[in-house]
Amino acid sequence: MSQKVAVLGTGKIGEALLSGMIRAGWAPADLLVTARRPERAEELRTRHGVTPVSNTEAAKTADTLILTVKPQDMGTLLDELAPHVPADRLVISGAAGIPTSFFEERLAAGTPVVRVMTNTPALVDEAMSVISAGSHATAEHLAHAEEIFGAVGKTLRVPESQQDACTALSGSGPAYFFYLVEAMTDAGILLGLPRDKAHDLIVQSAIGAAVMLRDSGEHPVKLRENVTSPAGTTINAIRELENHGVRAALIAALEAARDRSRELASGKKD
């Protein structure tokens, strides 16, 4: 862990990654950060003991560059970095929808690039980070990316051709669960519960269900059937969900998210 790692464009996810790396054993002195606003950079120094630098300095001195700026800003950042990034630097992209070829075409020939799609549970060390290799990235580069992102959750290697699907499922995934909790909370209020009690009931049910899915080894259908007794309350609720096409709506929603990820990859903004 003596290699220097730079996080460029350090927002909430970038800061969560820094914090997780420090807890996992990285020395703050080996972590560099860049930020658009000087006050943000100073805040990161004060909070974590990391070293704020310019994008150019990061490119020249860090062994690994983690690019966490917004997808629409990535081209501008690469234009700034390209003259200063040696071909042996590992470049990790956290930008949704942008393929590794986008980076390889703008950086020195042979530069190893790894693409990572993480999600907001990185803020609580429960991220799902999906990792793919570019043309020049080796197994060692992938292992290094796993070591970094493993500090804030679970990692999974996939071919880059599957990244858009993973973005739809896990990158955007937390929002779907928040949406479901929001709707269930409204239902609880309609049924006569105070908002805070409805919220507590739903959140704990969600946590319990997630732990069962993770730890039991059972298929979700089996777990659902265990709750669904004949002529009971649950089967009546499931019938209404099916009548309203909830399953089909979820499939269509994820297809739409995947398609938008592909559009971002092709440079379409609107």
Side-chain angles (χ1 to χ4, degrees), residues 33-248:
V33 296
T34 77
R36 181 172 296 179
R37 296 179 292 106
E39 57 269 28
R40 170 62 174 164
E42 189 57 36
E43 179 182 89
L44 293 167
R45 183 207 298 271
T46 301
R47 187 175 297 159
H48 303 290
V50 297
T51 304
V53 295
S54 67
N55 290 331
T56 299
E57 186 177 354
K60 291 179 178 178
T61 60
D63 301 288
T64 300
L65 303 174
I66 305 175
L67 312 186
T68 62
V69 301
K70 295 178 181 178
Q72 60 266 32
D73 297 328
M74 194 62 78
T76 300
L77 177 61
L78 289 175
D79 288 342
E80 181 181 358
L81 295 178
H84 310 288
V85 179
D88 61 350
R89 291 284 188 272
L90 171 58
V91 175
I92 299 176
S93 164
I98 301 183
T100 54
S101 59
F102 181 90
F103 300 85
E104 292 167 349
E105 291 166 0
R106 289 161 175 79
L107 297 172
T111 300
V113 180
V114 172
R115 177 176 172 182
V116 180
M117 180 71 250
T118 192
N119 58 15
T120 55
L123 298 169
V124 292
D125 291 348
E126 292 291 349
M128 182 69 252
S129 300
V130 183
I131 298 174
S132 301
S135 301
H136 310 294
T138 65
E140 183 179 356
H141 294 130
L142 288 173
H144 187 48
E146 287 175 331
E147 184 181 22
I148 291 171
F149 283 85
V152 292
K154 187 175 180 179
T155 64
L156 178 70
R157 294 188 194 185
V158 301
E160 189 170 12
S161 61
Q162 295 177 1
Q163 274 280 355
D164 292 321
C166 292
T167 297
L169 281 170
S170 67
S172 300
Y176 312 146
F177 291 102
F178 298 147
Y179 182 85
L180 178 61
V181 169
E182 179 186 0
M184 290 177 70
T185 302
D186 288 343
I189 294 169
L190 180 66
L191 296 174
L193 291 170
R195 178 176 292 277
D196 59 340
K197 288 185 171 58
H199 176 83
D200 289 346
L201 287 166
I202 295 160
V203 170
Q204 186 56 39
S205 296
I207 292 170
V211 172
M212 290 179 71
L213 280 166
R214 184 189 65 191
D215 297 346
S216 70
E218 297 281 3
H219 193 281
V221 170
K222 175 64 175 176
L223 293 173
R224 178 183 60 75
E225 287 176 344
N226 289 341
V227 188
T228 311
S229 55
T233 59
T234 306
I235 191 60
N236 274 273
I238 296 296
R239 180 188 61 186
E240 288 303 310
L241 292 173
E242 294 292 350
N243 286 342
H244 287 80
V246 172
R247 186 187 302 266

Side-chain angles (χ1 to χ4, degrees), residues 14-36:
E15 184 175 5
L17 188 59
L18 285 171
S19 179
M21 291 172 69
I22 291 169
R23 289 192 301 276
W26 269 267
D30 290 331
L31 300 176
L32 311 177
V33 296
T34 77
R36 181 172 296 179

